[in-house]
Amino acid sequence: MAEKEVIETSEAQIAVHWKEEGYYYPSTDFIAQANMSCESVYDRFSLDNFPNCFKEYADLLDWDEYWHTILDTSDAPCWKWFVGGKINASYNCVDRHLAKNKNKTAIHYVPEPLDEKYEHITYQELYVRVNEMAALLRDFGGLKAGDRVTLHLPMGPELPITMLACARLGVIHSQVFGGFSGKAAADRVVDSGSNILITQDAYYRSGKLLDHKKKSDEAVALAAKEGQKVDKVLVWQRYPGKYSAATPMVDGRDYFVNDVLKDYYGKRIDPVPMNAEDPLFLMYTSGTTGKPKGCQHSIGGYLAYVAGTSKYVQDIHPEDVYWCMADIGWITGHSYIVYGPLALCASTVIYEGVPTYPDAGRSWRIAQDLDVNIFHTAPTAIRALRKLGPDEPAKYDYQFKHMTTVGEPIEPEVWKWYHKEVGKGKAIIVDTWWQTETGGFLCSTLPAIKPMKPGSAGPGMPGIHPIIYDDEGKELPRGAGIAGNICIQNPWPGAFQTIWGDRDRFVDTYYARYCKDPNSKNWQDWPYLTGDAAVEAEDGYYRILGRIDDVINVSGHRLGTKEIESAALVAVEVAEAAVVPMKHEIKGVEPDLYVSLKPGYEASDELAKKISGVIVEEIGAIARPRNVWIVPDMPKTRSGKIMRRVLGAISNKTNVGDVMTLANPEIVTEVTKMVQG
Ligand code: WTA
C-alpha cells in the first residue's frame, strides 16, 4: 500500500479507471494442435537466458553460413544480431520449400471485382516469378546489393514478388503504401536515394479502377526538384498486355514490367548470401512531428523474429489458410503477410480491395471460399464490419481457429463482438501490440498458454521484457493501477537497426529518454522507449492506452483517450468513438467526444445525453465530455486510424492542416460545419 501512495504522487500517472475484464480460455482442441503449448518457453526466454534464447528463432531459418555472435552491442544502441551469419531472405521464403512443397499454394490472390477469378500461386510459380523479376532488376535495372529501390505498389502478388526479388539480390526495398500520394512517394524516394521506382498502372478500390500510374509522374517530378533523379519507372500492369491508366508512359523512362520480363524468361538468379545484419528493407513511419522516419530492418534478425512469432503467436501450420487483411504497405503486411508466413511455407491470402465491397459479407465469403482458418485484422476494420453487417458472419460457412487484432487498443465491446460473431465463439484471439520500429510483436498472449483478456494485449512476448517508467524514470510495479511510459528493457532480433541516414534522431527518439549512461555498451543501460502509455495489471498483462501524446489532462487527472472511447462504446448505438482535448479556462482541457452510430440508429439530443451518461457511469464525472458530436464518419488515415489531431483542431477552432492524405478528406468539411456552425 505504502508503495502505491508514493507512486500516486508522480506526474507520470494516468488515472486508470477502466475495469479489468475476465479471462477467456482457449479450447482443448486448440491447445492440442498448437505450435507452442509448453509453459517452459517463458523460462527459456527469461532475462537470465538473454540473449542466447533467440537461437531458437534463428534456427527456424536456413543459413548460408552460421553466425558466431548472437548479439553484438559494441555500437550501442545500434544492436547487431547473429553476427558472422550469411543468409538470404528470398531463399528462406521460397527456394527452401521447393523440395517438399513446390506444389503448395504460397499466395491466394483475391481480386476485388466479383467476376474475376482467384489466383493460386504455388511455391514453384513464386520461385519462377521471383527469379525472373530478380534477373530484370539486376540486368535491366542495374541494381545490386545495398542499393535502395522504392516500390509504390497496390495489393497484388506483384508486390511480394518484387520484394522477394529485391531480397534475392540484397537490394533494399522501400514499399510505400499504395494509397499514399505521389508526394509521399517522392519524399521516400529522396530520403532513401532510390533511382528506380516500381509501380502499377491501376488497381481496384470499392469498385473503381484507379489510375495509380499518375502518382509516379508526380513522384519523379517532385523528387527531381529535391535533387534525386529517378532513371527508370517500372510499371506492372493490372491486366498484363493492356494499359489501364490514362497518363502516358514516358519514353526512355517508363517500362512495362510484363514486357521487359519476356527477355528474362527462364532466368534463375542465385540468392546472394548477405550478412545477417545487412538491411532487408526500409519502412517509413510518420511521427507526430518532422519528416517520416525510414525504419531500417535487418535480414537475419528480422526474419528470425517474424518467423518465430508467426509460428508461435499466429500458430501457422503448413495446412492452414492464413489471411491477414492488412496492406503489405504497412509493417503488418511485411511481417505477417509476406516474410513471416512465407518463411514458414504457409499459404497466405492477398486481397486487393475493400473488406466491405460490395457488401458487408464479402470478407466472410472470401473466408468461406478459401476455407481460411487464421484471420488477422485491425480494430478499425472490425468496427467497420460490425457497423455495416453485425449479423453477416453467421451467414457464412467458415470457422476460424485463430484471430488477431493489431494496430490500436481494441475496446472490450468490440473485442466481444469479434469473439462471438466473427470467431463464432470458438476462435482464440491474440491482441498483438507492436510497432513499425519493432518488426514483430512485443506483447501478446501465447494463444495456447495464456488466457485472453479483452482490451489487454497480454504479457511481454517470450524474450521481450517490458517495463513501465514514470516521468522521473521510476519503475511502476505491476498492479500499481496507474499508467506510465512503457519501454522494453532488452534488445530483440526484430527491432529496427536505425533510422535510415539519421542515427542521432534514432538515439534521441527511442533511447535518450531513459538511457542510464550514453557511453555504455551494455544493453541493460538502454531501455527502448515505445512512446505508448500503458498499465500493467496484477497478472502481468499490459493494457495499452495509446500514444503518450494522446493523454488528456483534465483538472490534473490524466485520462487515456482510449478508456473514454471504450466507455462510449458501451452504449449499444455507438459504432466508433474518438475523444480529443478541448481547451477549458479552468480545467485546462475537457474531453470532447465524437461518435458515429451503427446503422439503424438516428442522432438525437437524447442519444447524445445517454452516451455522456454512460461515460460518467463507467469512468466518473471527471470524464464527462463537453459535447457529444454524432458524426456520419470519422476522419481517418489510409490505414484506418482515426485522426484525433484533426478532430482536436475542429473542436478548438484551430487549423486542421493538410488533410488531403486522409482516406476521406470530405468528412472534415462536414464535421467542421457541424461543430463550428
Ligand atoms: C498502436 C502497427 C494497442 C500503438 C503494428 C503503437 C496498439 C502504434 C496495438 C504502432 C495493440 C499497435 N493495442 N495499441 N494491439 N498495436 N498499437 O507503427 O500506439 O503502424 O505504438 O505499427 O499503434 O503503429 P504502427
Side-chain angles (χ1 to χ4, degrees):
M1 260 340 266
E3 208 173 40
K4 266 189 204 171
E5 274 151 31
V6 175
I7 291 153
E8 271 168 12
T9 60
S10 152
E11 281 296 305
Q13 65 186 256
I14 298 164
V16 177
H17 304 270
W18 77 25
K19 298 177 209 86
E20 284 294 313
E21 298 280 334
Y23 288 133
Y24 287 59
Y25 291 88
S27 67
T28 47
D29 286 353
F30 181 86
I31 296 170
Q33 61 81 62
N35 282 330
M36 178 64 79
S37 53
C38 179
E39 253 330 309
S40 70
V41 60
Y42 287 102
D43 295 332
R44 295 204 304 278
F45 282 80
S46 70
L47 266 183
D48 289 344
N49 294 325
F50 180 86
N52 295 333
C53 50
F54 282 112
K55 179 177 187 311
E56 251 182 74
Y57 284 11
D59 288 347
L60 295 171
L61 305 178
D62 283 1
W63 296 82
D64 295 311
E65 247 170 71
Y66 205 65
W67 44 272
H68 52 68
T69 304
I70 193 155
L71 175 63
D72 172 356
T73 64
S74 61
D75 190 26
C78 296
W79 319 116
K80 293 192 190 75
W81 284 89
F82 309 128
V83 179
K86 296 263 185 205
I87 189 164
N88 185 282
S90 178
Y91 177 86
N92 272 277
C93 291
V94 187
D95 307 40
R96 67 166 175 160
H97 305 316
L98 297 180
K100 287 197 182 128
N101 286 299
K102 63 170 182 277
N103 222 2
K104 179 187 166 159
T105 299
I107 296 171
H108 294 284
Y109 169 58
V110 183
E112 194 194 69
L114 291 169
D115 54 4
E116 287 183 21
K117 289 206 176 98
Y118 293 18
E119 215 181 299
H120 310 276
I121 299 171
T122 62
Y123 273 95
Q124 172 65 20
E125 185 176 352
L126 184 63
Y127 170 76
V128 167
R129 294 180 65 179
V130 166
N131 270 281
E132 292 174 357
M133 185 60 182
L136 182 154
L137 292 176
R138 189 187 68 182
D139 299 343
F140 182 72
L143 291 168
K144 57 180 189 319
D147 290 347
R148 280 81 54 209
V149 55
T150 298
L151 282 46
H152 194 194
L153 290 167
M155 284 290 278
E158 292 76 14
L159 174 46
I161 286 167
T162 308
M163 289 162 66
L164 292 165
C166 290
R168 200 165 188 86
L169 301 171
V171 170
I172 304 167
H173 58 76
S174 165
Q175 152 72 4
V176 182
F177 169 56
F180 274 158
S181 62
K183 165 80 169 65
D187 292 345
R188 289 152 177 78
V189 163
V190 173
D191 191 74
S192 63
S194 305
N195 51 25
I196 294 198
L197 174 62
I198 306 178
T199 189
Q200 184 167 305
D201 56 354
Y203 65 99
Y204 279 98
R205 223 167 149 80
S206 287
K208 281 203 233 48
L209 187 60
L210 305 179
D211 181 342
H212 187 61
K213 162 65 170 62
K214 66 176 183 210
K215 291 182 183 172
S216 65
D217 297 314
E218 207 188 329
V220 171
L222 290 168
K225 271 197 204 149
E226 302 282 318
Q228 178 64 41
K229 185 164 178 292
V230 174
D231 301 321
K232 288 193 172 85
V233 177
L234 305 179
V235 185
W236 287 97
Q237 289 174 315
R238 173 64 175 74
Y239 296 99
K242 180 178 147 204
Y243 187 43
S244 302
T247 23
M249 296 285 280
V250 175
D251 211 27
R253 186 199 75 184
D254 300 354
Y255 302 88
F256 290 127
V257 177
N258 322 78
D259 283 349
V260 185
L261 269 178
K262 288 176 191 148
D263 298 338
Y264 297 94
Y265 172 77
K267 280 273 179 330
R268 301 292 178 263
I269 300 288
D270 287 338
V272 178
M274 300 294 293
N275 295 320
E277 71 271 22
D278 285 335
L280 177 59
F281 66 86
L282 306 179
M283 169 65 64
Y284 283 83
T285 183
S286 31
T288 35
T289 51
K291 62 173 188 164
K293 301 172 278 205
C295 295
Q296 176 185 316
H297 283 282
S298 70
I299 302 174
Y302 170 83
L303 198 63
Y305 198 69
V306 298
T309 49
S310 294
K311 181 157 184 182
Y312 302 128
V313 179
Q314 297 306 112
D315 200 48
I316 303 177
H317 296 61
E319 63 277 18
D320 291 324
V321 182
Y322 169 82
W323 182 18
C324 171
M325 234 166 51
D327 194 289
I328 297 174
W330 308 115
I331 192 69
T332 302
H334 272 48
S335 300
Y336 298 113
I337 297 178
V338 179
Y339 285 112
L342 295 180
L344 297 179
C345 195
S347 298
T348 187
V349 178
I350 295 180
Y351 173 49
E352 177 181 32
V354 175
T356 51
Y357 177 84
D359 58 71
R362 181 69 191 273
S363 297
W364 319 128
R365 286 201 296 281
I366 293 170
Q368 173 176 286
D369 291 346
L370 293 172
D371 199 17
V372 172
N373 65 340
I374 307 182
F375 184 66
H376 188 149
T377 192
T380 176
I382 302 170
R383 286 191 297 261
L385 290 160
R386 180 175 84 133
K387 180 175 174 183
L388 297 176
D391 307 318
E392 285 297 310
K395 297 181 189 160
Y396 297 96
D397 181 20
Y398 70 84
Q399 181 61 57
F400 298 147
K401 70 165 182 179
H402 181 294
M403 306 193 297
T404 300
T405 168
V406 59
E408 56 175 316
I410 184 165
E411 301 87 346
E413 289 306 310
V414 176
W415 192 102
K416 287 173 192 166
W417 180 81
Y418 194 34
H419 183 260
K420 176 160 179 275
E421 301 298 332
V422 180
K424 306 186 174 179
K426 289 188 191 145
I428 73 99
I429 297 180
V430 290
D431 182 345
T432 57
W433 169 67
W434 59 296
Q435 310 176 300
T436 302
E437 293 87 339
T438 71
F441 307 143
L442 293 177
C443 282
S444 167
T445 49
L446 282 179
I449 301 177
K450 299 277 183 187
M452 309 158 241
K453 190 161 71 172
S456 279
M461 285 289 298
I464 302 286
H465 301 280
I467 186 163
I468 300 182
Y469 290 121
D470 69 10
D471 282 348
E472 277 77 53
K474 200 150 22 90
E475 182 180 348
L476 297 177
R478 69 169 53 165
I482 49 177
N485 303 322
I486 185 165
C487 297
I488 311 298
Q489 301 179 56
N490 59 296
W492 66 98
F496 69 142
Q497 303 175 292
T498 187
I499 295 174
W500 179 258
D502 202 346
R503 186 194 160 115
D504 289 348
R505 190 176 178 201
F506 169 74
V507 177
D508 281 356
T509 311
Y510 300 99
Y511 290 98
R513 177 88 185 261
Y514 293 114
C515 178
K516 292 167 199 154
D517 169 10
N519 297 315
S520 171
K521 305 291 176 207
N522 292 330
W523 58 263
Q524 288 88 343
D525 293 325
W526 294 93
Y528 168 79
L529 176 77
T530 67
D532 282 339
V535 59
E536 183 184 5
E538 223 40 275
D539 57 6
Y541 280 38
Y542 293 89
R543 186 188 283 265
I544 307 300
L545 303 173
R547 305 294 301 162
I548 292 167
D549 336 318
D550 287 342
V551 163
I552 299 186
N553 194 323
V554 189
S555 307
H557 293 262
R558 296 179 74 183
L559 300 168
T561 46
K562 207 65 211 177
E563 71 175 310
I564 304 178
E565 292 164 6
S566 276
L569 261 80
V570 171
V572 294
E573 297 87 349
V574 176
E576 289 192 297
V579 150
V580 297
M582 190 177 175
K583 296 217 162 45
H584 185 277
E585 294 184 81
I586 296 160
K587 300 181 185 170
V589 296
E590 270 187 319
D592 209 26
L593 177 70
Y594 291 82
V595 297
S596 67
L597 303 180
K598 293 180 198 159
Y601 293 107
E602 294 280 321
S604 69
D605 288 349
E606 292 76 67
L607 180 55
K609 272 203 201 101
K610 175 182 165 186
I611 295 167
S612 184
V614 170
I615 290 170
V616 173
E617 177 105 332
E618 292 282 313
I619 301 175
I622 182 92
R624 188 195 304 278
R626 167 79 155 270
N627 307 285
V628 177
W629 301 108
I630 302 179
V631 296
D633 200 1
M634 302 284 180
K636 285 191 189 135
T637 63
R638 301 293 185 124
S639 67
K641 292 189 189 184
I642 297 174
M643 285 297 285
R644 292 186 183 75
R645 179 181 63 73
V646 171
L647 293 171
I650 297 174
S651 285
N652 292 295
K653 302 201 167 75
T654 56
N655 185 359
V656 294
D658 181 14
V659 296
M660 288 325 286
T661 56
L662 296 188
N664 53 354
E666 66 290 344
I667 204 74
V668 177
T669 323
E670 209 173 318
V671 175
T672 307
K673 217 183 270 165
M674 173 185 265
V675 173
Q676 300 180 0

